Amino acid sequence: MSNPTKNFSSIPVIDLSLSADPEKKPQFLSQLQDALINVGFLYLKNTDSIVEDRVVDEVKAYLPKFFGLPQEEKDKIVMENSPHFMGYNRLGSELTKGKTDLREQFDFATPHTSRWKVGDPEYYNVWGPSQYPDEQALPGFHKTLETYLAQMWALVKELIQLVAEALGLPRDGFSRFFDTDERMQCFGKLVRYPTVGGNNSASQGVGPHFDQGFLTILLQASDHPGLQVQNLAGEWIDAPPVPGTFVVNFGRGLEFVTGGTVRATCHQVISPPDTFNTPRYSVPFFQSIDMHAKLSDPHYKLELPDETLRLRDERGKLVDTDGGLRTSPPTQFAAHDAVNFTEFATEPSGQVVLIGRIKSHPNVGAKHYPKLFGRLFHGGIPTEFQNGVKVQ
Ligand SMILES: O=C(O)CCC(=O)C(=O)O
Ligand SMILES: [Fe+2]
């Protein structure tokens, strides 16, 4: 029997409000289960009981204002100054699969004080304070982004419990992967993708990649298409903005702990063509897991019910659809290799995050984690890395 969603050609839209209605919850869970196993992506609507529309609108309004700040104002808070990979990156300051991403971005996280001290593993230092522009330069920005992060965090906490139920686990089935709020940090990005001319080959907004942790919640903050996700046959399927929704997708950590039941789906962004007068904006939010959790330890093994495993087997194995993206080796990283988080098989999750961050932001790695950087990039900063190509 073939599954109707296999090789999907569009992304399902799921209504969160159904989960609060005992009669409709089974329908919600079955839709979520299908998206988890067969698609790896969904649009979530009716989230306003957790994430206020007012806050989303405020974040959207700040995007052009933040990126429109004078360059020297943004350069005061560059990521290169932060061992926590927080702050601003000019265009071209990020590599994905060995190519420069044509996006300008600002990484910011839930409030946290680094607990790293001399002698601790380096990855303890991945979590730490954000860098914000001066309050006078952008009044209210800092507070709005922290409110948004707090509401996103509340949404991922609710969602991960629904994911557990949809997989046939108890509602708190994933609680062992999280520490207390004070000892955790989640982060987001404000992203601006400039338009490119028709014949410009440099149209990689962000190259093909997987996300890392459990859940990603993405706000497509302008009307532009460009986000594409890969189906099981390896075809690129458009995921255009759907008003009133967030895009939810699943990371390699969740795929790992569910033994490949949940699909981490490869995705990319094509730069908007210059027929648009404005850049594309988006705001991804990444749910972290306890940085000490070594997912390969027996303690983290999940017992999924046979019925769920049967659906996984019906879907089939998750094969490599994009030249080494899923399976390239975890060490001896070359610039053209994918950031694919295969290290979950051997390393604590914090180390996996650190390796991924260094691969994406080699200049930050070279400055703050020179030894690990040297092990990952034998030839130093790759020539593909063009920090600060001209902002259009
Ligand atoms: O901007 C988008 O739509 C997607 C961004 C993304 O996939 C990422 O930052 O991981
Ligand atoms: Fe992503």
Side-chain angles (χ1 to χ4, degrees):
M1 272 260 307
S2 72
N3 186 311
T5 321
K6 251 191 175 178
N7 296 333
F8 61 90
S9 52
S10 64
I11 316 290
V13 182
I14 302 185
D15 181 346
L16 181 66
S17 69
L18 300 186
S19 70
D21 177 339
E23 265 177 35
K24 298 190 179 136
K25 189 167 175 187
Q27 182 195 342
F28 173 87
L29 291 179
S30 125
Q31 291 172 343
L32 178 59
Q33 182 189 65
D34 184 47
L36 282 159
I37 298 175
N38 295 311
V39 186
F41 264 78
L42 59 95
Y43 293 100
L44 193 66
K45 67 175 184 183
N46 284 331
T47 49
D48 52 330
S49 59
I50 304 178
V51 185
E52 291 169 273
D53 293 341
R54 174 190 64 84
V55 177
V56 172
D57 290 343
E58 279 176 26
V59 169
K60 282 186 180 170
Y62 272 121
L63 279 156
K65 288 188 197 152
F66 172 78
F67 289 109
L69 286 174
Q71 190 62 47
E72 60 273 16
E73 210 49 64
K74 294 184 281 186
D75 285 343
K76 282 187 198 161
I77 52 167
V78 280
M79 184 188 273
E80 202 167 301
N81 292 339
S82 164
H84 322 298
F85 296 84
M86 287 296 126
Y88 169 74
N89 275 311
R90 290 183 176 208
L91 276 183
S93 311
E94 182 186 54
L95 288 181
T96 302
K97 235 180 158 244
K99 283 204 196 148
T100 303
D101 295 328
L102 211 54
R103 61 180 190 170
E104 193 184 352
Q105 52 184 328
F106 171 69
D107 288 43
F108 59 106
T110 52
H112 193 84
T113 310
S114 173
R115 284 181 290 128
W116 178 85
K117 42 187 186 3
V118 178
D120 284 342
E122 277 186 321
Y123 67 80
Y124 285 22
N125 210 16
V126 171
W127 290 349
S130 305
Q131 307 189 77
Y132 284 95
D134 290 340
E135 184 61 23
Q136 302 89 304
L138 208 51
F141 177 72
H142 184 160
K143 184 161 177 284
T144 295
L145 290 195
E146 283 197 350
T147 306
Y148 184 74
L149 288 170
Q151 296 191 359
M152 278 288 131
W153 201 348
L155 180 59
V156 291
K157 277 192 202 162
E158 171 61 19
L159 266 182
I160 199 67
Q161 300 189 63
L162 292 165
V163 167
E165 289 183 85
L167 296 173
L169 293 167
R171 200 169 149 76
D172 65 354
F174 289 111
S175 57
R176 76 187 82 163
F177 298 100
F178 304 102
D179 207 335
T180 55
D181 280 9
E182 303 69 50
R183 295 170 66 90
M184 295 275 306
Q185 184 172 47
C186 297
F187 79 102
K189 285 174 186 285
L190 302 184
V191 194
R192 174 183 178 274
Y193 298 91
T195 58
V196 297
N199 295 323
N200 193 338
S201 60
S203 60
Q204 170 169 304
V206 57
H209 69 280
F210 297 104
D211 291 345
Q212 165 268 124
F214 274 20
L215 302 179
T216 302
I217 305 200
L218 172 76
L219 170 66
Q220 301 205 66
S222 57
D223 296 335
H224 309 64
L227 176 64
Q228 298 187 321
V229 311
Q230 234 177 3
N231 72 11
L232 290 158
E235 296 154 345
W236 287 107
I237 305 299
D238 288 327
V242 174
T245 68
F246 291 102
V247 174
V248 179
N249 67 290
F250 313 114
R252 290 280 274 177
L254 192 58
E255 180 181 290
F256 187 91
V257 299
T258 59
T261 303
V262 176
R263 182 171 188 251
T265 292
C266 177
H267 52 286
Q268 65 180 10
V269 173
I270 309 291
S271 300
D274 61 4
T275 45
F276 285 94
N277 294 322
T278 51
R280 174 177 186 269
Y281 292 111
S282 72
V283 187
F285 174 88
F286 303 99
Q287 179 184 33
S288 307
I289 53 177
D290 181 351
M291 59 159 74
H292 307 288
K294 192 168 161 190
L295 301 186
S296 53
D297 279 355
H299 170 64
Y300 293 108
K301 193 167 165 43
L302 292 172
E303 296 298 339
L304 292 171
D306 289 346
E307 168 59 12
T308 306
L309 295 175
R310 188 182 62 74
L311 293 169
R312 173 191 69 179
D313 295 343
E314 238 177 52
R315 176 205 63 208
K317 243 174 111 62
L318 295 170
V319 292
D320 208 338
T321 44
D322 194 14
L325 195 60
R326 189 172 283 282
T327 51
S328 64
T331 52
Q332 294 168 12
F333 180 69
H336 57 266
D337 281 340
V339 182
N340 60 7
F341 311 107
T342 47
E343 304 87 3
F344 275 126
T346 51
E347 305 293 333
S349 97
Q351 181 73 359
V352 182
V353 174
L354 176 57
I355 291 170
R357 296 293 260 167
I358 295 176
K359 287 175 175 176
S360 298
H361 304 288
N363 60 327
V364 186
K367 182 164 170 190
H368 299 283
Y369 304 92
K371 275 205 197 121
L372 182 54
F373 169 80
R375 288 218 304 275
L376 294 167
F377 287 91
H378 294 185
I381 305 256
T383 50
E384 294 88 341
F385 186 78
Q386 309 160 11
N387 199 352
V389 294
K390 201 171 164 322
V391 181
Q392 289 163 1

